Amino acid sequence: IGRSSHHGILSRQTSNLLIEDISFHDFDVAGISLSGFDGVIMRNLDIGPNNQDCPVTGRYLHARAMLPRYKQLVEEHGDQNILINGEKRSIRSVIDRVVDSMNVIYNKEILGYEYDEDDELYQLAMLEFGNDNISPRVSDGSVVYGVLLNGYGG
């Protein structure tokens, strides 16, 4: 089981499971993650290495997931102002800047665009969402598991 954004196998409340003769690699969180299980047999597994080329931080994923909420905020409150570091900014301008930064990272990592490293938006995008400062480019979630076993509700 190859490249995965989180787990090779993720299972909740599982009974009578056999995981056998499988290789897991290029995962970001865990090769296998089980929570609340009974009667699980694991044998002859090859787990690792984890993904060594994660181009973006976890903040990128969270920001992308928030796009519907950002859209709602702009529609309902876009012209209202908020203070950031003592400077008044419209909600629309803040959200536009976040989305533009995400697009820079997407264009760079997925579409292969090249940017001037002195460009202010490129610098902001790399600061917030880029994962080029470490080598290898591993997930910034702080831990990686081969096998993660939790009880019920874990």
Side-chain angles (χ1 to χ4, degrees), residues 26-78:
D26 296 327
F27 49 86
D28 285 347
V29 177
I32 300 171
S33 177
L34 305 177
S35 293
F37 54 91
D38 179 51
V40 172
I41 298 171
M42 293 183 272
R43 62 178 166 228
N44 196 30
L45 304 175
D46 182 21
I47 302 177
N50 62 303
N51 184 6
Q52 303 288 303
D53 188 25
C54 185
V56 297
T57 64
R59 288 184 303 278
Y60 178 85
L61 169 65
H62 295 289
R64 278 281 176 214
M66 290 292 296
L67 285 174
R69 180 66 174 132
Y70 295 156
K71 180 180 179 196
Q72 179 186 4
L73 279 171
V74 168
E75 289 171 356
E76 295 176 8
H77 307 284

Side-chain angles (χ1 to χ4, degrees), residues 70-116:
Y70 295 156
K71 180 180 179 196
Q72 179 186 4
L73 279 171
V74 168
E75 289 171 356
E76 295 176 8
H77 307 284
D79 295 327
Q80 293 178 11
N81 292 311
I82 57 174
L83 284 177
I84 298 178
N85 294 330
E87 184 178 329
K88 190 186 324 184
R89 296 187 185 188
S90 72
I91 290 174
R92 180 183 320 279
S93 70
V94 171
I95 290 174
D96 285 349
R97 188 121 166 128
V98 170
V99 172
D100 289 346
S101 296
M102 286 189 294
N103 290 340
V104 165
I105 293 296
Y106 180 87
N107 291 340
K108 175 184 179 288
E109 294 296 338
I110 303 302
L111 301 179
Y113 288 18
E114 293 184 18
Y115 289 89
D116 180 351

Side-chain angles (χ1 to χ4, degrees), residues 123-139:
Q123 289 176 356
L124 176 65
M126 293 304 294
L127 177 68
E128 289 301 321
F129 303 121
N131 202 17
D132 283 352
N133 295 329
I134 58 172
S135 180
R137 297 189 315 172
V138 295
S139 173

